[in-house]
């Protein structure tokens, strides 16, 4: 089938007409095969010249539309031509069979094709017209005193229409599935973009607010029922890392948050005299320093902790299951580690402000205390850790 279906460069998979183009191709290939087989069956098995002629006309028209569509890629013309051809041949067949031998069953294909190819408005009109003709044929049958006899033709009609229905519905399901998948992926991308800092690839401030809010709400509830554990080595729930995370939109934190009982520390980190780096080496170097520092900080953190870019040259860490003493020890180690690094050929230092969660804290108040601690560290001469 793929060999016969031409892929048009002007209709890539994300083009609104992509699936219409596919359906035109599929429908025309299916109708050509159907008309060819039906013509043979009607000629050789039923000896019906009338139906053989009808099928041959269908085969020729399908081929002409198929050929024209492959040459021009004109979706609108091909959609209308296919719909009119399919519905009028079905109607011609049903009328010539006087609606007998389940020939009316073919009309159920008309809405499937017309709605998809020419839209709701015209699809409704053509389907209603087709069904009106069917109703009229049935009415005529009711007026006919002769009893209806079921022949082999009826069996063929039922089988052929069922196969066509299954093929079309399979196609629609594929279309729907592919559409939803694309939408879901796009939503994930958008969510990721909204939560990520473009420069460093870390989570951004919005994400921090969201995570802290959830974390502290659960913490406040749990504080009423469970005592805090007091060691960083205890098994703790995790927060996603921002950098290089394959799926930052589905943090492990959210899955584990309900089990959360442990102490939380928030650390605000600021590069000392960053303005001088920009002034002396330019903003591009400044940007590279920010990226490199983000990776250095990330490399020194546990998988369980969260690092975000707060804005400018400031970062925030959220440490789970970490007591105040552990946090001071850890941040001091981090400060010394950064001071020893050569970042873009520069030696730089950081100041850190630490705040430990207490039961009165909200997301805003704990960040505010960490910020005050950072201010203290700056006023103590920078390159140090201060506690709120
Ligand atoms: N290159 C670059 N610079 C930035 C970015 N965001 C903020 N800055 C710069 O960071 C500098 C921050 O300067 P200040 O707030 O005076 O702080 P500082 O020079 O680090 O001094 P202290 O914090 O007091 O040690 C400003 O020059 C901002 O322009 C960024 O995304 N890229």
């Amino acid at each position: 089938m793929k060999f016969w279906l031409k892929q048009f460069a002007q209709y890539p998979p994300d083009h609104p007409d992509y699936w219409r183009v596919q359906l035109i191709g599929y429908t025309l290939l299916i109708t050509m095969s159907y008309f060819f087989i039906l013509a043979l069956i009607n000629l050789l098995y039923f000896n019906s010249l009338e139906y053989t002629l009808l099928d041959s006309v269908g085969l020729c028209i399908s081929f002409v539309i198929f050929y024209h569509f492959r040459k021009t890629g004109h979706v609108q013309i091909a959609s209308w031509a296919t719909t009119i051809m399919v519905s009028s041949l079905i109607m011609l067949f049903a009328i010539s069979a006087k609606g007998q031998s389940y020939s009316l069953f073919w009309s159920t294909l008309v809405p499937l094709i017309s709605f998809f190819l020419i839209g709701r408005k015209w699809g409704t009109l053509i389907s209603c017209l087709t069904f009106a003709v069917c109703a009229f044929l049935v009415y005529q049958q009711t007026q006919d005193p002769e009893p209806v006899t079921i022949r082999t033709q009826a069996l063929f009609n039922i089988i052929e229409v069922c196969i066509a229905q299954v093929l079309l519905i399979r196609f629609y399901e594929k279309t729907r599935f592919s559409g939803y998948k694309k939408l879901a992926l796009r939503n994930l991308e958008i969510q990721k973009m909204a939560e990520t800092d473009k420069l460093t690839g870390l989570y951004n401030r919005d994400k921090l607010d969201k995570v802290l809010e959830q974390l502290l709400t659960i913490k406040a509830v749990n504080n009423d029922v469970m005592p805090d554990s007091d060691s960083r080595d205890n098994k703790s729930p995790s927060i996603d890392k921002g950098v290089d995370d394959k799926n930052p939109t589905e943090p492990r934190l959210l899955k584990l948050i309900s089990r959360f009982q442990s102490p939380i520390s928030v650390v605000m980190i600021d590069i000392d005299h960053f303005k001088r780096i920009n002034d002396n080496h330019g903003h591009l170097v400044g940007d590279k320093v920010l990226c490199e520092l983000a990776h250095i900080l990330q490399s020194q953190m546990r998988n369980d902790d969260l690092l975000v870019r707060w804005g400018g040259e400031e970062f925030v860490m959220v440490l789970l299951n970490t007591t105040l003493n552990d946090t001071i020890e850890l941040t001091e180690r981090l400060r010394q580690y950064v001071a020893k690094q050569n970042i873009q050929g520069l030696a730089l230092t950081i100041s850190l402000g630490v705040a430990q969660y207490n039961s009165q804290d909200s997301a805003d108040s704990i960040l505010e205390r960490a910020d005050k601690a950072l201010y203290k560290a700056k006023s103590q001469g920078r390159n140090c850790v201060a506690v709120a």
Side-chain angles (χ1 to χ4, degrees), residues 237-274:
S238 318
I239 303 178
D240 269 6
K241 282 185 163 191
V243 169
D244 294 338
D245 198 313
K246 294 266 182 330
N247 186 11
T249 54
E250 192 55 54
R252 279 173 290 156
L253 166 70
L254 297 181
K255 292 177 196 151
L256 294 159
I257 202 164
S258 57
R259 290 199 270 124
F260 185 71
Q261 331 285 349
S262 53
I264 304 167
S265 292
V266 170
V267 182
M268 206 163 261
I269 303 168
D270 187 284
I271 305 175
D272 295 329
H273 299 304
F274 186 63

Side-chain angles (χ1 to χ4, degrees), residues 85-155:
M85 185 253 314
V86 170
S87 41
S88 50
L89 284 174
I90 284 176
M91 278 304 88
L92 260 176
F93 171 61
I95 291 167
S96 60
K98 294 193 181 128
Q100 288 184 3
S101 302
Y102 292 119
S103 55
L104 299 179
F105 204 37
W106 281 95
S107 65
T108 56
L109 295 178
V110 172
L112 282 179
I113 292 172
S114 62
F115 273 78
F116 200 96
L117 287 185
I118 55 172
R120 271 201 305 272
K121 193 172 95 188
W122 292 106
T124 308
L125 188 73
I126 289 189
S127 302
C128 288
L129 270 175
T130 308
F131 291 143
V133 173
C134 291
F136 178 70
L137 290 172
V138 174
Y139 168 75
Q140 277 193 328
Q141 283 177 10
T142 61
Q143 303 302 303
D144 194 344
E146 251 183 60
V148 174
T149 46
I150 311 278
R151 301 192 189 90
T152 327
Q153 178 77 46
L155 184 66

Side-chain angles (χ1 to χ4, degrees), residues 270-271 273-275 278 283 287 309 312-313 378 382:
D270 187 284
I271 305 175
H273 299 304
F274 186 63
K275 189 172 178 315
N278 274 335
H283 269 77
D287 284 353
R309 184 177 177 204
E313 85 292 21
K378 291 277 180 186
R382 298 179 173 80

